[in-house]
Amino acid sequence: MTTTSSPQRDTPMRTTAAHDTPVDGTPSTRSVLLVFAGLMVAMLLASLDQTIFSTALPTIVGQLNGVEHMLWVTTAYILASTIVMPVYGKLGDLIGRKYLFITAISIFLVGSVMGGLADSMGTLIAGRAVQGLGGGGLMILALAIIADVVPARQRGKYSGIMGAVFAVSSVAGPLLGGFFTDGPGWRWAFWMNIPLGILAIVSAIFFLKLPKRAYTKPSIDFPGMIVLALAATSLVLFTTWGGTTYAWDSLTIIGLIVATVVFSVLFVFIESRAAEPVIPLKLFKNRNFNLTTGAGLITGVAMFGALAYMPTYLQMVTGVGATSAGLLMIPMMGALLIASIGSGQIVSRTGKYKIIPIIGSLVTALGLFLLSTLTASTAIWIMCAFLAVMGLGLGMSMQILVLVVQNSFPGAIVGTATSSNNFFRQIGSSLGAAIVGSLFVSRLTDILASSAASGGGASGGSGTNSLTPAIVAALPDAARAVIVNAYNDALTPIFLLMVPLMLVAAALLVFVVEKPLATRIEKTDVQAASNAEVFEGSLSTGANATAEPVLSTRTGSVHSV
């Protein structure tokens, strides 16, 4: 390394064309913490809305008379956030992240207002979709900004805290949903986002003090973004409607399957020729990216397949209220919080990360197996213990997989790489919520209809659509037992089907190549090197740094790295 003294006025500060972060060494701890505080508010905002309706859902669909549309309250949010993740990641690399981040918060708040004013399931689902369009940006931009300012070696502990925020919000979400449902009303689950969103915007304005960069007109891959959205939507629609709203051999489902394949092929064709592809195909030449993306997709299926419907199960089967159902999720999220923070600290101290998500995947598989053994008569403390096992596994794997991806690419494309990885994880989340929801609702409807036909005391048809925990609790013992057993028999076998998936995830992670974690931030000066050149360097070396002269804003010296 050579060093030459240079006055700062003679050498302009160079920032990456990919984002607003200066290409210096590691920022001060104080500046990182200020940025981190703002990001945590935004992540709390987005992650709360993934779970806040889980305990309120039975009451909402009962009031709006739409049990058959129940899964869309969750799926619409996840699908919308999935579609926009790569878009936010790529735009952040091209035009900077700060104002894009504020825009995402604003879109999220618009969706919250729509949901709060909803008077039908259609309007409610539309509001949730708009929320997802903003929420996807909040999560992916927060992860990318942290990668901008924190070295990979230290990023483990910050990633652990991010996982902890998700765990806390996952506990607080069902609790708040239950509190609002039992108290002032479920619409407050939307209205509470307004002050929290304003706080997030204020935090972004005052804490994200990122240097401005010279404006250059970006080349935006609009065709790729549109086709990607169409492919993802077709995929989730046919998994959601298949076997429930439409028969698997119906023209609608067959058409959606064909559309998924056609749009996917068209997307690959467009991306292979785009100047700045939204998901660059060269990412898939990186071994670690492929392995962690596959494992992340599978983890998303398992996590959201279980998380989305367990509170509903707990209310209906155990007879507890919405608030109590949220409290019963605390063991799962507490274990997730401990495992997430603990694994992050281990990575930061040792620099080793490969074994942790492998163990996490195996523990998650064990948790799913235990959940599949639940019956309507299982003690509540046993249910909580099984949920804690699953939370422990998820906490050991979720955030570490993001770190592995970020450590495999240079800073100039970290947003694109992170968002692409999270896109496929969210596809898994969408599929998990959609497939488990479709199977759950289909099995529940069939079981209740069969019971009604045999005179078991449960009603089918439109009566089923209006079932709420309060109505079920008020039924005679015989009728209530039929419905409780129906909920149990409809959901628990699905957990067993997901066990082999988590074993596949563990097997994939065995082949991850553990690369040294960088101890300082080295950014690519893309004014001298294009993204294509950056890709070639990362694919051949897997390093996080390139041999470009950069200016240290601390010393005013130019270093040749």
Side-chain angles (χ1 to χ4, degrees):
M1 175 180 291
T2 60
T3 304
T4 59
S5 186
S6 173
Q8 188 162 346
R9 65 175 180 273
D10 295 332
T11 307
M13 179 187 296
R14 303 226 302 253
T15 63
T16 66
H19 36 62
D20 304 22
T21 305
V23 281
D24 61 344
T26 306
S28 67
T29 301
R30 180 178 181 275
S31 63
V32 170
L33 290 178
L34 288 176
V35 171
F36 193 65
L39 298 180
M40 290 305 94
V41 173
M43 285 200 72
L44 181 66
L45 186 71
S47 56
L48 271 176
D49 265 69
Q50 289 189 336
T51 58
I52 195 169
F53 292 101
S54 55
T55 46
L57 204 53
T59 300
I60 292 174
V61 298
Q63 290 182 4
L64 298 181
N65 195 31
V67 168
E68 71 275 18
H69 302 302
M70 177 171 65
L71 64 93
W72 274 104
V73 177
T74 300
T75 302
Y77 182 92
I78 297 175
L79 174 60
S81 63
T82 299
I83 291 172
V84 299
M85 271 189 175
V87 178
Y88 279 113
K90 188 64 179 183
L91 289 179
D93 282 345
L94 291 174
I95 65 176
R97 310 194 204 283
K98 178 173 181 176
Y99 293 104
L100 195 62
F101 191 56
I102 294 173
T103 299
I105 299 173
S106 302
I107 294 173
F108 184 89
L109 294 183
V110 171
S112 297
V113 172
M114 291 176 60
L117 297 175
D119 58 359
S120 67
M121 285 296 291
T123 307
L124 177 69
I125 292 169
R128 290 287 286 161
V130 174
Q131 278 189 310
L133 294 177
L138 299 187
M139 301 182 73
I140 201 63
L141 291 173
L143 290 170
I145 291 171
I146 282 297
D148 287 343
V149 299
V150 179
R153 179 64 179 267
Q154 297 301 316
R155 206 176 301 152
K157 60 185 179 183
Y158 290 96
S159 297
I161 296 174
M162 285 182 167
V165 167
F166 179 82
V168 170
S169 66
S170 296
V171 173
L175 285 175
L176 286 172
F179 170 76
F180 290 136
T181 301
D182 294 339
W186 57 264
R187 295 180 189 275
W188 281 94
F190 287 104
W191 296 127
M192 64 160 286
N193 292 329
I194 306 303
L196 193 58
I198 293 173
L199 177 60
I201 291 175
V202 171
S203 298
I205 292 173
F206 287 98
F207 292 164
L208 292 183
K209 294 294 187 179
L210 305 178
K212 296 181 179 180
R213 65 179 184 86
Y215 174 78
T216 55
K217 186 176 180 180
S219 176
I220 299 177
D221 181 21
F222 288 113
M225 294 176 182
I226 294 172
V227 174
L228 178 65
L230 293 173
T233 301
S234 299
L235 174 66
V236 174
L237 284 179
F238 91 72
T239 56
T240 301
W241 288 344
T244 54
T245 306
Y246 301 97
W248 283 107
D249 58 353
S250 67
L251 290 178
T252 300
I253 297 302
I254 294 174
L256 286 171
I257 294 174
V258 172
T260 301
V261 175
V262 170
F263 286 132
S264 298
V265 172
L266 181 58
F267 176 73
V268 172
F269 176 81
I270 292 173
E271 297 304 273
S272 66
R273 287 159 175 77
E276 289 288 352
V278 63
I279 298 182
L281 300 182
K282 290 185 178 181
L283 287 174
F284 297 96
K285 292 183 179 180
N286 187 289
R287 176 177 178 174
N288 282 359
F289 178 83
N290 292 332
L291 293 171
T292 55
T293 296
L297 187 151
I298 293 172
T299 302
V301 170
M303 178 176 181
F304 280 89
L307 190 61
Y309 296 98
M310 273 307 298
T312 298
Y313 172 88
L314 291 171
Q315 287 182 73
M316 290 296 194
V317 173
T318 67
V320 300
T323 302
S324 296
L327 289 171
L328 292 177
M329 297 295 290
I330 287 181
M332 177 179 178
M333 298 312 161
L336 194 156
L337 184 151
I338 293 171
S340 182
I341 294 179
S343 59
Q345 291 291 336
I346 291 173
V347 170
S348 292
R349 292 178 181 178
T350 67
K352 304 295 183 181
Y353 54 80
K354 179 178 177 177
I355 191 63
I356 296 175
I358 296 174
I359 296 175
S361 298
L362 295 175
V363 174
T364 302
L366 174 61
L368 287 168
F369 171 76
L370 293 174
L371 289 175
S372 72
T373 65
L374 294 177
T375 66
S377 60
T378 301
I380 291 179
W381 72 267
I382 295 179
M383 294 183 183
C384 292
F386 291 173
L387 287 170
V389 172
M390 185 169 179
L392 188 65
L394 291 172
M396 296 176 69
S397 58
M398 288 171 50
Q399 295 303 119
I400 301 298
L401 296 181
V402 176
L403 176 63
V404 174
V405 170
Q406 292 180 341
N407 193 51
S408 300
F409 295 97
I413 55 170
V414 71
T416 300
T418 303
S419 64
S420 298
N421 175 264
N422 277 269
F423 168 76
F424 289 103
R425 181 185 298 187
Q426 284 294 92
I427 284 289
S429 301
S430 298
L431 290 176
I435 293 173
V436 172
S438 295
L439 291 174
F440 175 45
V441 173
S442 177
R443 288 171 57 85
L444 178 63
T445 302
D446 290 344
I447 293 172
L448 291 177
S450 176
S451 173
S454 62
S459 61
S462 60
T464 302
N465 284 337
S466 299
L467 284 176
T468 66
I471 291 176
V472 172
L475 291 174
D477 290 343
R480 184 171 65 252
V482 169
I483 295 176
V484 166
N485 286 317
Y487 265 81
N488 183 84
D489 296 343
L491 184 61
T492 54
I494 301 174
F495 293 142
L496 186 61
L497 298 178
M498 293 189 285
V499 172
L501 292 178
M502 291 308 304
L503 296 179
V504 171
L508 289 175
L509 293 173
V510 169
F511 298 98
V512 166
V513 177
E514 190 169 50
K515 300 177 181 179
L517 295 172
T519 57
R520 58 168 292 180
I521 296 176
E522 300 290 357
K523 307 275 184 168
T524 300
D525 182 356
V526 292
Q527 304 219 357
S530 67
N531 273 358
E533 292 169 331
V534 171
F535 265 126
E536 296 300 334
S538 67
L539 294 173
S540 61
T541 66
N544 283 353
T546 57
E548 289 294 328
V550 296
L551 173 70
S552 170
T553 56
R554 289 180 174 178
T555 63
S557 299
V558 176
H559 302 279
S560 178
V561 181

